[in-house]
Amino acid sequence: MNALSEREHVDFLVLGGGVAGLTFALEAASHGSVLVLTKRQRSEGSTQYAQGGVASVLGPDDDFDLHIQDTLVAGAGLCRREAVEVTVREGPDRIRWLMSLGVELDREAPDRLHLTREGGHSRRRVAHAKDTTGREIERALLAACDARGIRIEEDHLAVDLVTSGKAGIGGPSRVLGAYVLHRDTGVVSTISAGATILATGGSGKVYLYTSNPDVATGDGVAMAYRAGATVANMEFFQFHPTCLFHPQAKSFLISEALRGEGGILRNAAGEAFMVRYDPRKELAPRDVVARSIDAEMKKRGDDCAFLDMTHLPKSFLLEHFPHIYATCKEFGIDMAAQPIPVVPAAHYQCGGVVTDLVGRTSIPRLYAIGEVSCTGLHGANRLASNSLLEGLVFGRRAALRAADELSEGSGPPPHIPDWNPGAALAPEEGVVVAHNWDELRRVMWNYVGIVRTQKRLERARTRISMLRNEIRDYYWQYNLTPDLVELRNLADVGMLIVECARQRKESRGLHYILDYPKSDDRWLRDTLITRGDLE
Ligand code: FAD
Ligand code: SIN
């Protein structure tokens, strides 16, 4: 049954129930009515799968300047310093807030958290709950929402934002709400809102191999782009160096924390190869490690690399990484006795919908928080474990700002026209959708992956442009299905990545292009895209 009426109005419409959306909801709930929508089960999203933890200044040998510096170095000159400052400085309070909600983080003494280390961090500063930190955070945030009576409706997929222009209202554009498809009934509801918050997460599913769950189809970026919001830096897609390489393992991450605790990367001949690529070896930033693995595999013609933990006691591995240990075991790999086969995979979208320091996008009444946003924190490459932190910090900041905006008054809810299904027919060619989806992801993997060339980008652009035309025709002919909505979004996101990558004529951070292998200070700026730039 569809839990939404065909028309509803709320003060805060939150699209997404991960760390960013739920933080927003909890902070906004005392200021107005909140509706959180999730497109599948309510806990399903990247947050739930986060392993390593949350980075913050919590150790006796650490300070804000060091965390700021590490973030800026990883970001390769493109971080926005103010965004880094607020995130780092508000971090410890956010961790205390999580603990006040009942999040159980590992401790090394009753009054001291256990902190792990990850690549690019000059100190141990990653707070964690064993190797399932995200699951613990998501659990506690959902429980807190339930305790406060916050309404969360699952299986509801936002299809498009409604702008004042689309509703026939004159004056400067603003966002009035969203059209929402119910997964089971196919009914499209019209939800108007005082503020609409994109907390839809990332877009790893645009690539063939990814650590991301199925919901990561870039819906928020695509909807915001179509509504006219500014999008930036989509060329900076982070590839995690180590996902499990096994034919039956779908998207299983092998946390960077394993390297933080001494894991060694080896090639198929058993050689520890990172020393040949970077003096920081296994703990170099992710872009460096992922490229090194890619180069080593290509040089030798290997299918994968190996992460060796066998020099560490089994009891230590079981104590710190019980989930990874058990999952590898399910696939017949005993990580205490044999190296784990690993490959890089698409992991994190560093660019996204451009926001200010309180989550506002370039369109009034539209906010973006979490992975969908581009706050300036990550620049050209995200420092490990800074993204859960970003969701916590910006979720709160956006909620406070949206509450202020609500109290300033927005007048009576405007009338939004009902969804117009046109002459839509029942979809009969599911196979077309599946085929296009597969082709898009392969094109992105083969032509817009870890190492790029101008020629491959041009090839990708031509293919994706054809796919977008096909999808557009199909979209307006047939009734909406979740697969079709997601395919349309993925194609838009793919094109945004290609277009940003084509524009940047240098290599920086996560964008590595053989035609321009060096950084060039003339490109020390964001790659900005707004509606119309892709057509
Ligand atoms: P998500 O948690 O991805 O939630 C997105 C939500 O949006 C979901 O509820 C989804 O249903 C909903 N949604 C999407 N589209 C729609 C739509 N059209 N309509 C309605 N709802 C929609 N980061 C760290 O800092 N530390 C880590 O240790 C870490 N480990 C990671 C491990 C893995 C395997 C992965 C995949 C990521 C990891 N990350 C880590 C990154 C981090 O988990 C994510 O960046 C972060 O959780 C994103 O949170 P979010 O709230 O923005 O989105
Ligand atoms: C990991 O545990 O390696 C993931 C950490 C992150 O993506 O920040």
Side-chain angles (χ1 to χ4, degrees):
M1 214 189 70
N2 189 351
L4 290 187
S5 306
E6 288 198 17
R7 301 187 74 84
E8 297 211 18
H9 178 79
V10 288
D11 293 324
F12 306 111
L13 172 61
V14 184
L15 304 176
V19 64
L22 297 182
T23 299
F24 182 100
L26 286 162
E27 299 283 359
S30 51
H31 302 277
S33 57
V34 178
L35 170 62
V36 179
L37 300 180
T38 69
K39 69 174 174 178
R40 287 179 184 258
Q41 278 172 303
R42 62 190 207 150
S43 61
E44 188 60 9
S46 292
T47 299
Q48 157 95 333
Y49 298 97
Q51 293 182 350
V54 192
S56 191
V57 174
L58 300 161
D61 63 344
D62 204 359
D63 64 42
F64 290 144
D65 288 338
L66 287 171
H67 190 183
I68 289 169
Q69 194 52 29
D70 291 345
T71 304
L72 294 172
V73 169
L78 282 192
C79 297
R80 181 174 169 206
R81 189 168 179 114
E82 301 93 311
V84 178
E85 295 253 357
V86 299
T87 309
V88 166
R89 291 183 193 283
E90 291 173 20
D93 265 354
R94 298 279 75 204
I95 304 282
R96 283 189 281 275
W97 178 73
L98 280 182
M99 292 195 290
S100 77
L101 296 180
V103 171
E104 292 277 353
L105 297 171
D106 286 14
R107 293 175 182 274
E108 59 184 17
D111 60 346
R112 216 172 42 241
L113 291 175
H114 177 268
L115 302 175
T116 192
R117 186 200 288 272
E118 290 182 310
H121 288 279
S122 57
R123 293 288 184 276
R124 281 186 173 267
R125 66 165 72 97
V126 180
H128 63 107
K130 303 267 183 246
D131 55 354
T132 47
T133 312
R135 194 193 293 172
E136 173 60 7
I137 291 176
E138 183 74 15
R139 178 201 64 73
L141 292 176
L142 283 171
C145 286
D146 288 344
R148 286 164 180 68
I150 294 171
R151 187 175 167 208
I152 303 178
E153 300 295 355
E154 51 188 21
D155 288 330
H156 284 89
L157 177 97
V159 172
D160 256 323
L161 298 168
V162 185
T163 55
S164 48
K166 224 186 254 175
I169 300 170
S173 180
R174 62 185 203 278
V175 166
L176 307 176
Y179 293 117
V180 176
L181 172 70
H182 184 232
R183 187 171 280 281
D184 297 335
T185 59
V187 170
V188 178
S189 301
T190 304
I191 314 294
S192 63
T196 302
I197 293 81
L198 295 173
T200 47
S203 56
K205 293 303 272 190
V206 78
Y207 285 100
L208 190 57
Y209 302 110
T210 177
S211 66
N212 290 188
D214 288 346
V215 295
T217 54
D219 300 0
V221 171
M223 287 190 286
Y225 169 75
R226 291 194 294 267
T230 305
V231 170
N233 293 353
M234 292 295 286
E235 69 274 39
F236 299 120
F237 215 102
Q238 184 171 73
F239 289 76
H240 196 290
T242 57
C243 281
L244 181 60
F245 178 71
H246 188 280
Q248 266 94 51
K250 195 179 157 224
S251 335
F252 186 68
L253 189 79
I254 305 294
S255 174
E256 186 152 333
L258 271 71
R259 279 177 281 128
E261 297 298 340
I264 300 169
L265 282 165
R266 298 188 186 281
N267 61 25
E271 295 159 356
F273 59 83
M274 274 310 297
V275 66
R276 283 193 263 114
Y277 292 90
D278 192 285
R280 292 162 293 184
K281 299 189 283 188
E282 279 76 6
L283 287 181
R286 263 182 207 174
D287 56 325
V288 177
V289 181
R291 269 200 302 279
S292 308
I293 295 177
D294 186 64
E296 189 71 10
M297 281 165 53
K298 283 188 177 136
K299 194 170 81 185
R300 295 177 40 85
D302 293 342
D303 288 338
C304 65
F306 293 87
L307 183 62
D308 188 359
M309 304 297 292
T310 57
H311 51 294
L312 295 168
K314 183 172 178 174
S315 55
F316 175 87
L317 298 178
L318 283 170
E319 161 70 14
H320 288 269
F321 307 112
H323 177 57
I324 295 173
Y325 187 94
T327 307
C328 287
K329 206 68 201 291
E330 274 173 35
F331 293 107
I333 301 156
D334 179 354
M335 70 190 247
Q338 66 194 108
I340 309 167
V342 290
V343 280
H347 183 61
Y348 187 86
Q349 169 197 295
C350 290
V353 185
V354 175
T355 74
D356 63 9
L357 294 180
V358 288
R360 285 179 299 193
T361 69
S362 61
I363 313 184
R365 312 260 162 189
L366 179 68
Y367 291 74
I369 48 176
E371 192 167 338
V372 66
S373 67
C374 181
T375 62
L377 172 65
H378 308 306
N381 185 16
R382 175 180 66 105
L383 186 65
S385 290
N386 263 357
S387 47
L388 292 172
L389 181 64
E390 184 185 42
L392 291 164
V393 167
F394 280 84
R396 172 174 170 275
R397 289 184 144 254
L400 297 180
R401 180 59 215 153
D404 280 351
E405 214 166 46
L406 186 75
S407 68
E408 287 156 15
S410 58
H415 181 77
I416 301 184
D418 282 337
W419 171 256
N420 177 5
L425 308 168
E428 48 195 27
E429 299 213 54
V431 65
V432 176
V433 175
H435 175 84
N436 285 355
W437 183 297
D438 185 64
E439 182 175 350
L440 174 71
R441 296 180 68 203
R442 276 178 202 282
V443 166
M444 289 299 292
W445 184 258
N446 290 331
Y447 300 150
V448 200
I450 298 175
V451 177
R452 299 162 181 177
T453 66
Q454 202 67 29
K455 203 165 161 194
R456 283 184 219 158
L457 292 177
E458 294 306 332
R459 204 169 285 167
R461 184 168 186 254
T462 309
R463 303 289 274 276
I464 297 173
S465 167
M466 278 163 54
L467 283 171
R468 285 178 83 223
N469 288 338
E470 254 177 54
I471 294 164
R472 210 173 285 148
D473 285 351
Y474 200 76
Y475 195 82
W476 297 115
Q477 270 177 28
Y478 293 101
N479 276 332
L480 282 188
T481 62
D483 285 351
L484 184 53
V485 171
E486 290 178 345
L487 174 66
R488 178 192 187 214
N489 291 333
L490 281 176
D492 284 354
V493 167
M495 201 60 159
L496 285 166
I497 297 174
V498 170
E499 221 28 66
C500 288
R502 281 177 73 242
Q503 284 185 29
R504 185 169 289 282
K505 305 269 187 282
E506 63 156 357
S507 290
R508 179 181 301 278
L510 298 160
H511 175 63
Y512 185 69
I513 179 156
L514 292 174
D515 312 68
Y516 309 99
K518 295 216 163 63
S519 298
D520 176 344
D521 280 357
R522 286 173 300 177
W523 288 96
L524 264 178
R525 57 176 193 252
D526 292 336
T527 322
L528 299 173
I529 296 221
T530 39
R531 195 187 162 101
D533 291 350
L534 296 189
E535 315 316 324

